[in-house]
């Protein structure tokens, strides 16, 4: 496939926003059970939610650049019964609304306990909103990933690993962001977020690595023999039927060399995993929000490369029909 | 239930592209607006077509065959392009099985083209909506046309009659018979899309001659020359007169 930057920005930006929200809420739940010092609800949770919301909104804006008719985008909520894309279109704004309410609740101090858990832990409105947000957040990860994973003949994508990768990569990026943010807004908690960021980054490396290994072993199921239905091992296309390009030659071919693809692969393997881990450790040791912010940026670059590779690697069976100009 | 479809006979197709041009002509002139056609006479021409004729070479020299292969939307009976469409712009008609795009609903997200394994959907670069073969839905029901012209433009244009059109669910239709009697097949059956369009394979015309047909059964000893002429009153060797 030919990677589209609108979709690369959409998936990486909302991934970071989702991960940041999960990090904030994890922090709140830990604090509820006195496992972490409680943080200021305005300067930490409300501002953190605003940052997460900004990432989600930026992703949403990027997605509009993918559409031929953005003014009709509202129509895309119609087919949620069958289409993962439609489901994403519904879940993304729902999640954004919940994150907004979660941040607003913290800002406005909706902290009077509504009821108590056994053991006397008070549950307030923000905790419930956060729980709803967490559900929607995972729902959004699943919708986004299933848009790709549900296409069975794009076999590089058609695996549960795609869903796991989206969750872990987005989570890692968001937790690194949370580490940088907490180093500035709540230094006592930055070690906690940094630890989880490292765990998620290593987890993401494992699952992304597993999908890379899986994909190198794939054998194409469609061949020219099944594409045109002639039972012969040696078939070559002599003409695709037209001399110039078409939608089919532009949308489905990345047009880069094997070496370039390999470069991007190793680029993201380095930039998204070991480098941010090292910078993260250095930033935590120095307690510097700037260095930790650098870790997020490096990893974000790596994740953009990862997403580019994710699209470029998928080999669409339609390409069998577009091999030779004449 | 009706499932309209094309059956394309690869044994007869000569790769003349008449179906391509007549398709473009008909569909660029319809109520849905023109089909993009950019820089048609320049270095890098591009445009939106519903139908393409491709050419493949099968085998290695000197034992090769050239296969001309027309390709358009196959109006799959299990179309993977339809359920993924977020707006419902892509749909399959219940009454005749034609898969269509509602150009007024399409948001141009291209997702359906990703979900079609055959590469037959093309985004119109100017109208920014997804387009594909409509099976000339604006022709085949047009009562103003004479009955014999109520067929897709490509079918009418084909000079070798390589394109048949009809209802593949009707066992007595011309297309069903052609599929049944000439080993009609579907493209990429491995994905379970059940294309409605079928293709008829290349068929070699062979004469079967058995060894005993090369020998004269009445000359087992292979002695050539004139047979002895029996007398008029005698029975002949093979019970017919020998003269
Ligand atoms: S050939 Fe492609 S576009 Fe046509 S119905 Fe089948 S999957 Fe859909
Ligand atoms: S490009 Fe149009 S027809 Fe295709 S999936 Fe998107 S909205 Fe539906």
């Amino acid at each position: 496939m030919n990677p589209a930057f609108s979709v690369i920005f959409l998936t990486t930006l909302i991934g970071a926003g989702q991960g940041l929200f999960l990090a904030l809420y994890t922090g709140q739940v830990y604090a509820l059970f006195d496992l972490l010092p409680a943080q200021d609800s305005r300067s930490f949770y409300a501002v953190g939610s605003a940052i997460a919301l900004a990432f989600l909104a930026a992703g949403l804006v990027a997605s509009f650049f993918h559409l031929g008719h953005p003014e009709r985008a509202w129509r895309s909520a119609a087919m949620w019964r069958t289409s993962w894309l439609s489901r994403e279109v519904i879940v993304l704004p729902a999640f954004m609304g919940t994150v907004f309410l979660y941040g607003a609740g913290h800002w406005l101090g909706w902290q009077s306990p509504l009821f108590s858990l056994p053991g006397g832990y008070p549950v307030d409105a923000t905790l419930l909103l956060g729980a709803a947000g967490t559900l929607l957040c995972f729902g959004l990860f699943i919708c986004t990933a299933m848009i790709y994973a549900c296409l069975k003949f794009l076999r590089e994508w058609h695996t549960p690993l795609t869903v796991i990768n989206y969750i872990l990569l987005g989570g890692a990026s968001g937790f690194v962001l949370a580490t940088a943010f907490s180093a500035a807004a709540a230094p006592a908690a930055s070690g906690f977020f940094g630890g989880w960021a490292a765990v998620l980054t290593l987890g993401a490396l494992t699952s992304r690595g597993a999908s890379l290994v899986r994909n190198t072993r794939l054998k194409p199921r469609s061949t020219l023999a099944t594409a045109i239905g002639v039972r012969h091992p040696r078939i070559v296309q002599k003409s695709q039927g037209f001399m110039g390009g078409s939608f089919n030659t532009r949308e489905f071919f990345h047009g880069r060399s094997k070496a370039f693809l390999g470069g991007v692969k190793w680029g993201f393997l380095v930039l998204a995993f070991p480098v941010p881990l090292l910078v993260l450790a250095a930033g935590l040791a120095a307690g510097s929000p700037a260095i930790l912010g650098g870790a997020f940026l490096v990893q974000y670059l790596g994740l953009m490369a990862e997403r580019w590779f994710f699209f470029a690697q998928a080999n669409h069976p339609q390409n069998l029909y577009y091999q030779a100009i004449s | 239930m009706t499932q309209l479809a094309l059956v394309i006979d690869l044994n007869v197709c000569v790769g003349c592209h008449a179906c391509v041009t007549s398709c473009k002509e008909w569909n660029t002139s319809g109520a849905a607006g023109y089909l993009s056609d950019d820089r048609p006479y320049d270095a890098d021409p591009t445009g939106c077509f519903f139908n393409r004729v491709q050419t493949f070479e099968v085998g290695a020299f000197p034992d090769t065959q050239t296969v001309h292969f027309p390709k358009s939307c196959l109006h799959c009976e299990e179309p993977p392009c339809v359920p993924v469409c977020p707006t419902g712009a892509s749909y399959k008609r219940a009454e005749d099985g034609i898969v269509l795009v509602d150009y007024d609903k399409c948001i141009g997200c291209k997702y359906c083209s990703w979900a079609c394994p055959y590469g037959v959907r093309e985004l119109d670069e100017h109208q920014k909506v997804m387009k594909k073969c409509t099976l000339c839905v604006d022709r085949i029901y047009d009562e103003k046309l004479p009955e014999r012209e109520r067929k897709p433009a490509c079918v009418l244009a084909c000079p070798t009659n390589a394109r048949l059109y009809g209802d593949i669910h009707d066992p007595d239709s011309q297309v069903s018979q052609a599929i049944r009697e000439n080993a009609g097949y579907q493209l990429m059956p491995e994905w379970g899309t059940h294309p409605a369009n079928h293709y008829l394979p290349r068929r070699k015309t062979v004469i079967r001659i058995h060894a005993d047909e090369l020998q004269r059964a009445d000359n087992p000893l292979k002695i050539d020359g004139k047979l002895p002429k029996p007398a008029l009153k005698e029975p002949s060797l093979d019970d017919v007169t020998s003269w």
Side-chain angles (χ1 to χ4, degrees), chain A residues 153, chain B residues 71-82 90-92 97-101 112-113 115-122 130-133 193-197:
Chain A
F153 38 81
Chain B
K71 176 167 79 80
S72 54
C73 170
L74 309 167
H75 299 281
C76 300
E77 301 205 44
E78 296 288 339
C81 56
V82 167
S90 277
Y91 63 105
K92 184 170 177 72
I98 302 182
V99 175
L100 287 176
V101 182
C112 54
S113 70
C116 166
Y118 305 102
V120 296
R121 290 180 165 249
E122 300 195 10
M130 196 52 74
K131 295 193 172 177
K132 61 179 254 332
C133 161
T193 54
H194 298 290
N197 285 12

Side-chain angles (χ1 to χ4, degrees), chain B residues 85-87 89-90 101 106-112 121 130:
Chain B
C85 174
T87 62
S90 277
V101 182
C106 174
I107 57 173
C109 68
K110 308 174 206 159
Y111 193 26
C112 54
R121 290 180 165 249
M130 196 52 74

